[in-house]
Amino acid sequence: MKKLRDQELNNGLLEKGKTNEPTSEDEAYFIYAYQENTGIPVFHELMSVAKQMSDDSPDNAPVQAIYSARGLESLTIDYIYNFKNEQNTVTLKPFDEIASVVEEKYDNILNDVNYEVTRAKLYERVYTGEDQKYAEEPIWYFEVMENGSNKTVMLVNAETGKEINLPS
């Protein structure tokens, strides 16, 4: 809290002398959770709206809470789904084929940037289909670092091996 307060003072977001020094009572835990469906984390619909919303991070978690010495201070629950879990099975492409889709994309970019996949995770993606109804599909989520600093996200359909292009 003190670090955040000092940063906000330096950025001019708070006025000096008009805020209290943080105490141990101000210390808090940020708790977050993602929903799972049959053991696979759910990539909720808001994460499919645009590239900048697709990050698998605590900020995008559908369940978020702040707990301090004063008790539960904040609780947010959004984008939780009731899956039917019918016995429809799908066949996923082998991971080597999915990885080659990612490799091919970044090999074909004509620049001197070094790309490194730092994380891959299987998700159940929920999105609004063309018929304006919820649809779901298994996807691979990849975090790719550009020259060790800029992170981008690439999504690949785990059944078809096709890249999922989200709007910018």
Side-chain angles (χ1 to χ4, degrees):
M1 290 294 289
K2 181 176 179 358
K3 183 179 176 183
L4 180 61
R5 179 182 162 273
D6 291 345
Q7 186 178 17
E8 288 179 347
L9 281 169
N10 290 337
N11 292 339
L13 298 172
L14 294 175
E15 289 185 46
K16 199 168 191 122
K18 292 197 174 187
T19 62
N20 295 330
E21 190 71 25
T23 67
S24 62
E25 284 192 17
D26 294 317
E27 293 179 10
Y29 293 96
F30 176 66
I31 303 161
Y32 67 95
Y34 279 87
Q35 181 180 7
E36 288 188 352
N37 181 32
T38 62
I40 299 173
V42 174
F43 194 85
H44 62 77
E45 65 182 299
L46 185 60
M47 294 171 77
S48 291
V49 170
K51 285 182 183 181
Q52 63 266 27
M53 301 294 290
S54 64
D55 191 29
D56 174 23
S57 69
D59 292 337
N60 278 340
V63 178
Q64 299 179 7
I66 297 176
Y67 186 82
S68 74
R70 293 181 290 270
L72 186 63
E73 296 198 19
S74 171
L75 176 63
T76 306
I77 302 173
D78 292 315
Y79 305 104
I80 302 296
Y81 306 97
N82 185 14
F83 292 95
K84 291 181 182 174
N85 287 332
E86 298 166 346
Q87 295 301 319
N88 300 337
T89 59
V90 295
T91 303
L92 304 182
K93 292 258 186 208
F95 185 78
D96 289 349
E97 288 182 35
I98 300 295
S100 69
V101 171
V102 178
E103 183 178 20
E104 182 178 328
K105 174 183 178 168
Y106 288 100
D107 277 351
N108 288 332
I109 297 175
L110 300 174
N111 61 21
D112 293 332
V113 175
N114 181 30
Y115 296 98
E116 178 184 3
V117 174
T118 56
R119 189 166 169 220
K121 187 173 181 179
L122 183 65
Y123 269 103
E124 183 74 19
R125 175 180 176 232
V126 175
Y127 62 98
T128 304
E130 291 179 12
D131 59 358
Q132 298 303 307
K133 294 183 180 178
Y134 283 136
E136 58 186 274
E137 65 186 356
I139 63 164
W140 279 101
Y141 167 95
F142 293 94
E143 288 180 0
V144 181
M145 295 296 285
E146 299 174 10
N147 283 336
S149 60
N150 294 338
K151 179 176 74 173
T152 59
V153 171
M154 180 177 176
L155 305 178
V156 178
N157 183 302
E159 289 179 271
T160 65
K162 303 283 185 207
E163 180 179 2
I164 298 167
N165 292 306
L166 300 178
S168 295

